[in-house]
Amino acid sequence: MSVLTRPSAPLDRSRIGRLQGKARYAPTLATVGLFVAMFAIGAAMYPGFLSGQVFLNLLIDNTFLIVLAVGMTFVILTGGIDLSVGSVVALSMMIAAALLQAGWNPFAVILLVLLTGATFGLAMGLVIQVFEIQPFIVTLAGLFLARGLCYVISVESITVTDPFFTSMAQARIPLVGKLFVSPGVVIALLVVAVAFYLLHQTRFGRTVYAIGGGESSAVLMGLAVPRTKVLVYGISGVCSAIAGILFSFYSLSGYSLAATGLELDAIAAVVVGGTLLTGGYGYVLGSLAGVLVLGIVQTFISYEGTLSSWWTRIVIGALLLAFILLQKLFTRKVRLT
Amino acid sequence: MSETVPVVDMQGISIAFPGVRALDGVDFRLFPGEVHALLGENGAGKSTLIKALTGVYAIDGGTITVLGTRQSFGTPAEAQAAGISTVYQEVNLCPNLSVEENILLGREPRRRGGIHWRDVRRRAQEVLEQLQLGHIDPRSILSSHSIAIQQLVAIARAMQVDARVLILDEPTSSLDADEVQQLFSVIRTLRDRGVAILFVSHFLEQVYEVSDRMTVLRNGRLVGEYLTRDLPRMGLISKMIGKELDALAELEEAESRRHPDRTQEVPFLRAEGLGRKGSVRDVTVTVHAGEILGLAGLLGSGRTETARLLFGADRADQGQLSIGGTSRTLRTPRAAIDRGIAFSSENRKEEGLIGDLSVRDNLILAMQAGKGWWRRVPRATQDKLAERFIKALDIRPSSKDSLIRDLSGGNQQKVLLARWLITDPKLLILDEPTRGIDIGAKTQIQKLISSLAADGMSVVFISAELEEVLRLSDHIAVLKDRQMVADIPNDGVTMEDVMTVIAGTTP
């Protein structure tokens, strides 16, 4: 045989591998670090910034975005994308508002909205999987479809007067001291916890990562790839519906133009949170941190007072760019070694 | 090996792709406790047969019986559930996950409340230790390991299921000799435990070393099933190629190349101390017109990196490069192409061919790129070129409209080669052009390279097989630990000489 013999013992690369295993967390840790740094800067610049309630308000104001980002994380981990989430949020709000106006039981309404979101997501997942169409295009169609359906329900804004919804809007869950959160925060954090469990403790979750790492490999390894890919969009649909309900709690209305462009905020949060758009790398806790970073940018702008709220967008844009560049560096390093 | 009931019994298997009859009534049996080699040239139908058995392809005709039960696997998962595990030629694992996960993915032990991660680690560790791979940290990320280790992890995964049948499709093509021996000892252990092993390899030495029985395919048909000890090597080769032995002897005959006298002329390419931080250094080589320069060295010694420097795919930050006597800096591959340098990459799947395009489209790519995209090569010219090169290189199937992904590895390699030949380069850099392809195609490609050189083309030839480098090259640049350590003129140099340089401690 003419293959060359290696004179020395095979190189033990395991230690490097372990280090690289840790490097996987680098983008996510960077986001957490950024958040802490921004909070510290805010505390130094503005009196009253350094308070538990400012932090909790970040959660309270962004419950729906947290839930959306969670659903989006699943999709992006498989290497896909879901552009429909903003529209599905609006559709969920419209369905809820219209049915509540018609005098439905609020719990029946919530159940129906969740079912609608799940069906919508699963349907898109099926189209993507069965016809092998780009997720981008399928969910773009979903975006238009859901937005259009909102107008079918009502062109006007519908106010929600249901006692359960209004009580949820006003409820304050007291914590230590004068600190409090809204029920929405509890729900959103619960969603994060369930997602974390699904991704790290179930075969379904590991298959999500495997698909992102290499779909054809995952198929050859005998994993349930088609089912997982469809389910991922179903999860994103359910998350959109939950986000819609949380948004309803927050705004007490349904409006066809609500949540426009929210899908982009969700994607931005996921990417800033360290998830690779090509799939396979990322954490749901990173996405939570991503939402908080976007939220704190907004808080900054409002504390500054003199700046137009559009500065939020500019800063988020810059952050997004910075994080994508960071990821590029990260992946290049992995490939080199 | 006892004549008991076969674990796998495939009868009259037929599979057709558009325009290609990949398998035609092939019978195949696999007995417990044997290593069975599946042999044949590229495109003979080996991979197709394996994919039929593992549920990747649906069969158009015939029956598959596994452990006495008629089976028709729709997915790899079903085949795995029936006890058939496969390790493919290209590592099919998830590079983003840890070694332990890759071993147990889809079969993770669970307890109430989710995956039992400690158990995952314990089981992964167990199976790695069985393979004498205990030094691999199960928590390390797969992509941090060499291809060879990844391959062994893939085998560890296959073994973890307690498979009745283990299919190894070209498992040794990226392993070095030590690793091959390690693999073989594992294969023998498994065989003695009663596992039926289907082994596919182009290395006939390995087939004779490890297999008990073999089945030979040719052009999608069964040639026969033989006991390894009953069929001498030349007999096997003639059955694989379908040619008589004397014709074969001519094929096998080493090319007696006349080394051109090169001292007078200006070299086509000259590199002096060329290098790049983190890549490779001290590359000092000279290539005259009509010369073949071989690059030798171990896996990871910097062979490919050298080729990339010469092609401008990586920019050199040390040393000088001159082309045709003029000093040049190659900043991009395009600059190299403009100077008449072509590079056929090692990784034909990812960096070379476009699987969903036809043979003709793939052939024309480089030429079209050279002309600029707004000056389209006329269809008639495309057809003529495609037909000429399909004929010249004996590409099979010989239809210019076949999709690249339906071609076997060797034929894909020929298409890649032809693509660059169409552009009529002055220097052709070939990185592992013969990797993973069979003797027939290998000999054809070697012959082609010699005749190109005889016509005045310069060639940089990279191969893991030192024998091949020695046969073809006029002089050999030896690389070691990402540094060029010697330039040996090939006049009566033996493999041992080169090995000594590679193994030597002083650079």
Side-chain angles (χ1 to χ4, degrees):
Chain A
M1 205 183 47
S2 45
V3 173
L4 300 180
T5 318
R6 187 175 281 177
S8 57
L11 195 66
D12 176 16
R13 304 179 69 167
S14 293
R15 269 187 51 196
I16 306 167
R18 181 93 66 80
L19 284 175
Q20 261 184 32
K22 298 247 165 66
R24 271 193 304 179
Y25 304 118
T28 302
L29 289 176
T31 309
V32 174
L34 179 70
F35 176 75
V36 172
M38 287 174 84
F39 210 86
I41 294 170
M45 281 172 70
Y46 312 108
F49 199 100
L50 183 67
S51 85
Q53 197 57 46
V54 169
F55 175 75
L56 292 176
N57 283 345
L58 281 178
L59 292 174
I60 293 171
D61 294 338
N62 290 297
T63 51
F64 48 91
L65 191 55
I66 292 173
V67 176
L68 278 187
V70 166
M72 190 68 77
T73 309
F74 278 85
V75 175
I76 292 182
L77 277 177
T78 65
I81 195 92
D82 188 352
L83 297 178
S84 73
V85 296
S87 296
V88 176
V89 166
L91 182 62
S92 303
M93 291 171 73
M94 287 305 281
I95 293 175
L99 292 179
L100 289 170
Q101 203 181 35
W104 278 49
N105 177 298
F107 297 102
V109 169
I110 289 173
L111 192 68
L112 188 84
V113 165
L114 292 181
L115 279 176
T116 312
T119 315
F120 201 87
L122 288 174
M124 288 192 300
L126 276 172
V127 173
I128 290 166
Q129 179 58 34
V130 175
F131 299 105
E132 293 177 25
I133 306 177
Q134 292 290 324
F136 186 95
I137 241 28
V138 174
T139 57
L140 185 65
L143 180 155
F144 289 126
L145 188 65
R147 189 64 72 180
L149 284 172
C150 292
Y151 289 97
V152 172
I153 294 170
S154 169
V155 189
E156 306 291 321
S157 165
I158 309 173
T159 311
V160 172
T161 53
D162 177 82
F164 175 72
F165 271 61
T166 44
S167 72
M168 289 301 270
Q170 284 146 14
R172 292 284 175 262
I173 300 170
L175 302 174
V176 283
K178 283 187 205 150
L179 302 178
F180 65 86
V181 292
S182 66
V185 173
V186 178
I187 295 170
L189 292 182
L190 214 62
V191 169
V192 173
V194 169
F196 184 84
Y197 171 79
L198 280 177
L199 282 176
H200 298 284
Q201 289 294 329
T202 67
R203 289 186 184 172
F204 163 75
R206 301 325 291 170
T207 306
V208 168
Y209 278 95
I211 292 173
E215 191 172 333
S216 59
S217 296
V219 171
L220 288 173
M221 286 163 109
L223 303 178
V225 171
R227 189 181 72 200
T228 307
K229 271 178 75 190
V230 174
L231 270 178
V232 152
Y233 290 91
I235 286 175
S236 182
V238 171
C239 284
S240 307
I242 296 174
I245 290 173
L246 293 178
F247 208 160
S248 297
F249 288 168
Y250 189 77
S251 70
L252 286 180
S253 69
Y255 181 44
S256 299
L257 276 176
T260 312
L262 201 58
E263 60 277 349
L264 302 180
D265 287 331
I267 294 169
V270 171
V271 171
V272 169
T275 300
L276 238 57
L277 273 175
T278 44
Y281 296 91
Y283 303 94
V284 71
L285 291 178
S287 300
L288 175 63
V291 173
L292 291 178
V293 165
L294 299 197
I296 205 167
V297 171
Q298 209 143 19
T299 311
F300 254 90
I301 306 289
S302 62
Y303 263 78
E304 187 59 43
T306 55
L307 288 175
S308 144
S309 68
W310 283 106
W311 278 97
T312 319
R313 298 270 142 196
I314 294 171
V315 175
I316 291 175
L319 272 181
L320 203 56
L321 190 64
F323 270 82
I324 287 175
L325 290 175
L326 185 80
Q327 289 185 357
K328 193 76 206 171
L329 280 174
F330 163 72
T331 44
R332 191 176 298 168
K333 215 172 74 191
V334 167
R335 210 163 288 158
L336 265 181
T337 35
Chain B
M1 176 180 43
S2 54
E3 288 288 334
T4 46
V5 191
V7 205
V8 173
D9 194 358
M10 302 171 86
Q11 294 288 335
I13 304 296
S14 294
I15 290 184
F17 296 125
V20 195
R21 196 156 183 82
L23 283 181
D24 191 2
V26 172
D27 302 335
F28 178 74
R29 305 182 301 165
L30 194 54
F31 291 92
E34 73 167 355
V35 178
H36 192 135
L38 185 58
L39 295 157
E41 283 200 282
N42 289 314
K46 295 174 310 236
S47 294
T48 315
L49 188 69
I50 287 173
K51 286 183 173 164
L53 177 56
T54 52
V56 177
Y57 291 156
I59 52 172
D60 299 326
T63 60
I64 301 175
T65 312
V66 178
L67 293 162
T69 323
R70 256 306 273 273
Q71 296 277 14
S72 59
F73 301 126
T75 63
E78 285 173 36
Q80 273 181 26
I84 299 176
S85 278
T86 315
V87 174
Y88 291 96
Q89 182 173 2
E90 275 107 14
V91 181
N92 280 291
L93 296 175
C94 294
N96 60 325
L97 299 178
S98 63
V99 168
E100 61 188 12
E101 276 212 81
N102 271 296
I103 294 175
L104 283 135
L105 208 55
R107 300 189 290 265
E108 297 96 337
R110 286 179 290 194
R111 55 175 174 186
R112 233 172 38 158
I115 294 169
H116 196 330
W117 284 108
R118 208 178 317 150
D119 221 25
V120 167
R121 182 153 314 147
R122 190 179 53 75
R123 288 204 202 173
Q125 190 78 55
E126 250 172 44
V127 69
L128 285 173
E129 269 158 22
Q130 273 176 30
L131 295 180
Q132 290 103 48
L133 296 172
H135 62 281
I136 299 176
D137 184 344
R139 277 173 295 173
S140 56
I141 298 303
L142 188 77
S143 61
S144 67
H145 295 287
S146 64
I147 296 289
I149 295 289
Q150 293 186 23
Q151 186 95 55
L152 290 168
V153 171
I155 291 166
R157 174 182 170 81
M159 289 188 38
Q160 208 283 323
V161 263
D162 224 13
R164 305 293 300 268
V165 176
L166 177 62
I167 300 172
L168 300 169
D169 188 0
E170 292 285 352
T172 56
S173 58
S174 41
L175 304 192
D176 69 25
D178 286 346
E179 288 162 333
V180 167
Q181 285 313 316
Q182 194 173 359
L183 171 67
F184 282 180
S185 79
V186 168
I187 288 179
R188 292 190 189 102
T189 316
L190 288 173
R191 178 192 60 195
D192 296 343
R193 277 195 224 157
V195 179
I197 293 157
L198 172 52
F199 179 75
V200 179
S201 175
H202 283 110
F203 299 105
L204 295 189
E205 297 88 345
Q206 297 178 0
V207 168
Y208 275 92
E209 187 179 343
V210 82
S211 77
D212 305 307
R213 188 196 295 264
M214 40 202 185
T215 291
V216 180
L217 301 179
R218 189 171 66 234
N219 293 330
R221 290 168 189 273
L222 177 70
V223 176
E225 187 197 90
Y226 314 90
L227 288 177
T228 306
R229 60 170 179 270
D230 292 348
L231 186 65
R233 185 173 308 194
M234 282 321 263
L236 169 65
I237 295 172
S238 83
K239 287 197 186 331
M240 283 167 61
I241 308 191
K243 282 182 184 142
E244 284 315 310
L245 287 178
D246 44 344
L248 200 70
E250 185 205 334
L251 254 179
E252 275 281 285
E253 192 184 308
E255 314 294 329
S256 51
R257 282 180 34 74
R258 194 179 53 82
H259 301 301
D261 179 29
R262 53 187 165 109
T263 40
Q264 312 300 323
E265 317 150 36
V266 176
F268 173 71
L269 179 137
R270 174 162 178 76
E272 215 161 330
L274 206 63
R276 178 185 162 85
K277 223 176 148 206
S279 170
V280 67
R281 61 204 171 95
D282 294 345
V283 175
T284 302
V285 291
T286 317
V287 191
H288 288 80
E291 242 184 10
I292 301 178
L293 168 70
L295 295 186
L298 298 173
L299 217 75
S301 60
R303 298 181 310 221
T304 298
E305 287 78 359
T306 306
R308 289 178 63 88
L309 280 184
L310 296 180
F311 187 57
D314 292 326
R315 206 193 300 178
D317 53 17
Q318 304 146 16
Q320 278 105 43
L321 183 73
S322 64
I323 297 168
T326 331
S327 174
R328 301 272 181 204
T329 315
L330 297 175
R331 291 175 195 281
T332 61
R334 185 56 196 268
I337 292 170
D338 289 346
R339 311 261 173 272
I341 302 177
F343 176 46
S344 163
S345 98
E346 161 185 40
N347 197 338
R348 55 180 174 259
K349 200 169 80 171
E350 277 172 26
E351 287 174 20
L353 293 163
I354 299 163
D356 285 327
L357 290 181
S358 69
V359 170
R360 180 188 55 232
D361 292 335
N362 271 287
L363 279 176
I364 246 59
L365 263 180
M367 181 191 195
Q368 184 72 72
K371 287 183 74 164
W373 294 107
W374 51 89
R375 282 166 48 209
R376 192 167 179 277
V377 180
R379 182 59 177 253
T381 316
Q382 290 188 16
D383 283 342
K384 227 165 54 203
L385 279 170
E387 272 160 24
R388 200 179 98 208
F389 278 93
I390 285 171
K391 214 166 151 201
L393 271 65
D394 192 21
I395 294 169
R396 274 181 255 178
S398 58
S399 158
K400 56 188 182 293
D401 292 314
S402 318
L403 294 186
I404 285 292
R405 62 180 152 90
D406 293 336
L407 265 61
S408 66
N411 283 305
Q412 291 185 357
Q413 191 62 51
K414 288 186 199 167
V415 172
L416 195 56
L417 202 58
R419 173 198 288 171
W420 292 113
L421 294 182
I422 287 179
T423 64
D424 199 16
K426 297 200 185 81
L427 171 68
L428 183 59
I429 304 173
L430 297 167
D431 193 358
E432 297 273 13
T434 58
R435 174 166 156 194
I437 69 176
D438 62 70
I439 333 160
K442 206 175 256 185
T443 323
Q444 275 179 338
I445 287 180
Q446 288 175 6
K447 267 188 158 176
L448 188 73
I449 294 169
S450 319
S451 73
L452 288 170
D455 292 345
M457 192 184 289
S458 311
V459 179
V460 173
F461 181 77
I462 303 177
S463 173
E465 292 182 47
L466 194 49
E467 202 174 42
E468 204 177 43
V469 176
L470 281 169
R471 184 182 305 172
L472 282 174
S473 310
D474 296 308
H475 55 134
I476 300 156
V478 181
L479 289 143
K480 188 190 169 196
D481 296 334
R482 297 179 172 265
Q483 184 181 9
M484 189 178 143
V485 291
D487 184 352
I488 312 169
N490 189 8
D491 37 17
V493 178
T494 64
M495 273 175 60
E496 284 68 33
D497 297 339
V498 180
M499 300 277 263
T500 317
V501 176
I502 289 172
T505 42
T506 44

